[in-house]
Amino acid sequence: MTTQSTLTHPGTLPGTLSLGLIRGSAELKQFFRIREQVIFTFAFPSLLMVLLGSMLNSSMPGMAITTGQVLAAGMIGSGIVSTSFNSIGIGLASDREAGALKRLRGTPMPAASYFIGKIILVGFTSIAQVALMSVVGSLLFDLELPTDPMKLLTALWVFLLGVTSCTLLGIALSSVTKSVSGAVAVTNLIYIALQFISGVFVTPISNLPKVMVTIASFFPVKWICQGFRSVFLPAEAATQEMAGTWELPMVALVLTAWCVAGLLLAKLTFRWSNEGR
């Protein structure tokens, strides 16, 4: 005998996760419909890698690596900052300005499903970004792709912590600006500035003024890039870091702290509309 609990009710709404997956599919379709956005998202970091790596590619004294390889490894890390921090900050600002967030609040779909959809978009684009830039770095600068299980594990947790922290910070930042144009300006200003002071464009990072690196140490970008350098470069390259080591425990600590801080900031600052500002 079929019990009441096993009956299927036609009027029952899908669960939060199911709706989130549907929303994620819609986010991906919307993303790939805008060709200019796709090209900029994936091509810009790789183009910077090619241009800067070609200009700065020279042998490092006493080491079997080049400055181009160091730059490429760090830029793979900074690439996921673009696909998480920048894209979520601009995307939420766009949805808020268009009134999509306000309309969403009045529908049966849980807010969590909306954010699951955004997470799917960020996760997919970040994985694609890492894959693309790894191939470019390997083909043009002979960057050695990791095969050691420990390095692959490091790549995984740095990726997860980096994407999570930057996504949450992007959510928080999206509420600071009133318009999409403002979000674009603010996110890119922060992103580019942090890349410079975090040693992404300067190899080795020890060539930067110490005060710059000290400031950069308070933010995720430096640690994400340092984590990825530890994955793609040989152990001897760690001597070029400011501390002379990869400092992986510190990488984990700082990125975890930013995940917690980002969550708190996102919860405190998130707004459904620009009304009342």
Side-chain angles (χ1 to χ4, degrees), residues 2 32 44 50 54 58 75 101 120 132 140 149 158 163 223 226 232:
T2 304
F32 283 105
F44 183 64
V50 172
S54 299
S58 60
M75 288 201 68
L101 286 180
I120 290 172
L132 174 62
L140 297 184
V158 172
V163 169
W223 302 103
Q226 190 166 310
F232 286 95

Side-chain angles (χ1 to χ4, degrees), residues 6-41:
T6 59
L7 291 176
T8 301
H9 299 281
T12 302
L13 290 173
T16 300
L17 179 58
S18 299
L19 287 171
L21 295 176
I22 295 171
R23 180 72 195 187
S25 176
E27 291 279 356
L28 288 170
K29 289 178 182 177
Q30 183 179 0
F31 173 77
F32 283 105
R33 282 196 189 105
I34 307 175
R35 295 181 181 178
E36 295 85 355
Q37 181 180 2
V38 175
I39 293 172
F40 182 82
T41 299

